[in-house]
Amino acid sequence: MAIPNYQDILDLLKNGLTIEAREKILELREAALRLQEENLSLKEKLKQSQGDCDLGNQMLFEKGAYWLRTPTEDGTNLLGPYCQVCRDRDKKTVRLHLTNAPGGGWYCAVCRNQF
Ligand SMILES: [Zn+2]
């Protein structure tokens, strides 16, 4: 639905067409509400993707897996490892489990990959 033109409303009022003008004003108000809702949901999305970026900056790729860099009092601490496949494919931060296999290794319970 197009947003009513303000000039059109003024013209209607000038010509004494107040009912028509009122309809247009109601349409205008609806359009404003719609835009407000859309704006809110866009802001929410933006906040979400900014959060993802922040996490990305603290993520370190090493030894075939992701590690989360967390600041501590005496430097930085590495948490993890986290699954590289899940993070790259699904944008999910999934902790890996140690496998019992000889030689060690990591296992993802979500995508069932071994690293
Ligand atoms: Zn995984």
Side-chain angles (χ1 to χ4, degrees), residues 83-87 89 94 96 108-113 115:
C83 180
Q84 172 250 318
V85 176
C86 288
R87 175 145 183 88
R89 193 183 56 189
V94 180
L96 296 176
C108 176
V110 176
C111 67
R112 303 188 183 282
N113 271 307
F115 303 93

Side-chain angles (χ1 to χ4, degrees), residues 96-109:
L96 296 176
H97 300 269
L98 261 178
T99 59
N100 296 321
W106 300 96
Y107 168 74
C108 176

Side-chain angles (χ1 to χ4, degrees):
M1 195 168 70
I3 297 172
N5 191 307
Y6 183 63
Q7 191 56 48
D8 287 350
I9 296 172
L10 287 184
D11 287 345
L12 285 171
L13 284 172
K14 210 161 36 186
N15 296 323
L17 299 166
T18 44
I19 292 169
E20 285 84 350
R22 187 159 32 183
E23 264 172 34
K24 289 272 177 211
I25 289 167
L26 283 177
E27 270 178 41
L28 197 61
R29 221 169 65 171
E30 259 176 52
L33 282 174
R34 216 168 47 236
L35 286 174
Q36 209 170 34
E37 266 172 38
E38 197 182 319
N39 195 17
L40 269 179
S41 84
L42 284 174
K43 271 187 189 161
E44 200 54 44
K45 270 187 204 153
L46 189 66
K47 211 160 70 181
Q48 233 170 26
S49 68
Q50 272 171 344
D52 287 349
C53 282
D54 287 350
L55 201 59
N57 288 337
Q58 290 158 358
M59 277 286 184
L60 189 76
F61 188 68
E62 212 177 274
K63 292 177 230 156
Y66 281 112
W67 302 79
L68 184 63
R69 211 178 297 166
T70 47
T72 55
E73 280 173 25
D74 48 347
T76 49
N77 199 7
L78 284 183
L79 286 182
Y82 296 95
C83 180
Q84 172 250 318
V85 176
C86 288
R87 175 145 183 88
D88 289 349
R89 193 183 56 189
D90 305 324
K91 306 263 173 273
K92 276 185 193 146
T93 310
V94 180
R95 245 182 205 286
L96 296 176
H97 300 269
L98 261 178
T99 59
N100 296 321
W106 300 96
Y107 168 74
C108 176
V110 176
C111 67
R112 303 188 183 282
N113 271 307
Q114 289 212 31
F115 303 93

